[in-house]
Amino acid sequence: MVTGGASGIGRAIAQRFGSLGETVVVADLERTGRDGEATDELISRGGGRAEFVRADVASPAEVQELIDGVRERFGRLDVMVNNAGIAGRHNKQLIETTDEDWDAIMAVNLRGVFLCCRASVRAMLGQDPIDDVRGHVINISSQHGMVGPPASPAYAASKGGVVNLTRQLAVDYASRGIMVNAVAPGKILTGSVEQQDPEALAYSHARTPFARLGRPDDVAGAVVFLASPDARFVSGTNLLVDGGWMAY
Ligand SMILES: NC(=O)c1ccc[n+]([C@@H]2O[C@H](COP(=O)([O-])OP(=O)(O)OC[C@H]3O[C@@H](n4cnc5c(N)ncnc54)[C@H](O)[C@@H]3O)[C@@H](O)[C@H]2O)c1
């Protein structure tokens, strides 16, 4: 299951799992991304198995329905990727951040991750372990959950919350075979590059030692690793995929 899987990083993660022969459920507000394509159809066209479920991760009822539906149709939920997130127009300096801006970011980025973790961990606790692991939860955090990025207090606080929620759940559920990890992307080019603020892009290039900025598929590789048997003893980590951004 990949939330926010209709576009960007979530689409790349869903496609990567699809290409590995896994059954993928794409959950998002809309079925199609900015390019008008539906991730589930892209996966099906490539010979994989995928379906779309409309769900708002900020709604407890919709999240519960989403997880219940997956268990009913497929019998178990092996990997929950909590990727849906927003910033955009709500991302402002502290003084300009309205109550609505703060609540809008928190509702999706932190409450949404909490709701999806709660519902998916509950479901995973009821299924038999495979090779000692009942299930993997992988939260998409951000390098901005570990430092104070310029002018993004709500986003930074939401992602910092995701990083520590990840650690907490890893501690509480590893004994029952549920592995909880995060992946922290650095600057990944998603959406329309023309829409990106040139100043912000220049800042990202200056902060990224690697010769280019990230691609969604760079993040997908790390997520697939954390969901693989090779990572069966890994829990509570926040794996940076940032081209070296956080190394200095
Ligand atoms: N792109 C980057 O540089 C970058 C860097 C660090 C972290 N991240 C994180 O990676 C994740 C994906 O980012 P992206 O750049 O691919 O963004 P994106 O905007 O391309 O995709 C986000 C997806 O989430 C969906 N979504 C938003 N609100 C939702 C809700 N309430 N319920 C269900 N789905 C919802 C959107 O419809 C969209 O399809 C986010 O959590 C983001 O904070 C991105």
Side-chain angles (χ1 to χ4, degrees), residues 74-198:
F74 304 110
R76 57 185 292 139
L77 172 62
D78 293 305
V79 183
M80 180 74 186
V81 183
N82 294 316
N83 162 81
I86 61 164
R89 67 192 173 85
H90 296 291
N91 215 18
K92 301 169 185 164
Q93 286 276 15
L94 175 70
I95 306 299
E96 283 80 44
T97 301
T98 63
D99 299 355
E100 289 73 28
D101 290 326
W102 179 270
D103 290 345
I105 287 187
M106 289 297 165
V108 180
N109 293 14
L110 188 51
R111 188 172 194 264
V113 173
F114 153 68
L115 293 172
C116 289
C117 283
R118 187 176 62 183
S120 59
V121 168
R122 243 184 221 148
M124 287 170 183
L125 285 171
Q127 58 197 30
D128 290 335
I130 298 174
D131 202 10
D132 299 330
V133 174
R134 283 199 160 77
H136 293 272
V137 176
I138 300 167
N139 296 325
I140 304 303
S141 57
S142 171
Q143 90 279 37
H144 287 163
M146 297 146 82
V147 292
S152 308
Y155 184 80
S158 71
K159 292 297 184 177
V162 169
V163 172
N164 221 29
L165 179 64
T166 301
R167 292 192 189 106
Q168 181 66 53
L169 301 184
V171 168
D172 290 343
Y173 291 100
S175 63
R176 281 179 273 175
I178 297 173
M179 314 310 269
V180 187
N181 290 291
V183 170
K187 180 63 190 173
I188 310 294
L189 291 171
T190 56
S192 161
V193 178
E194 298 86 62
Q195 279 171 4
Q196 313 240 354
D197 172 17

Side-chain angles (χ1 to χ4, degrees), residues 202-215:
Y203 172 73
S204 295
H205 275 289
R207 287 297 310 254
T208 305
F210 200 62
R212 60 165 174 81
L213 298 179
R215 297 178 183 138

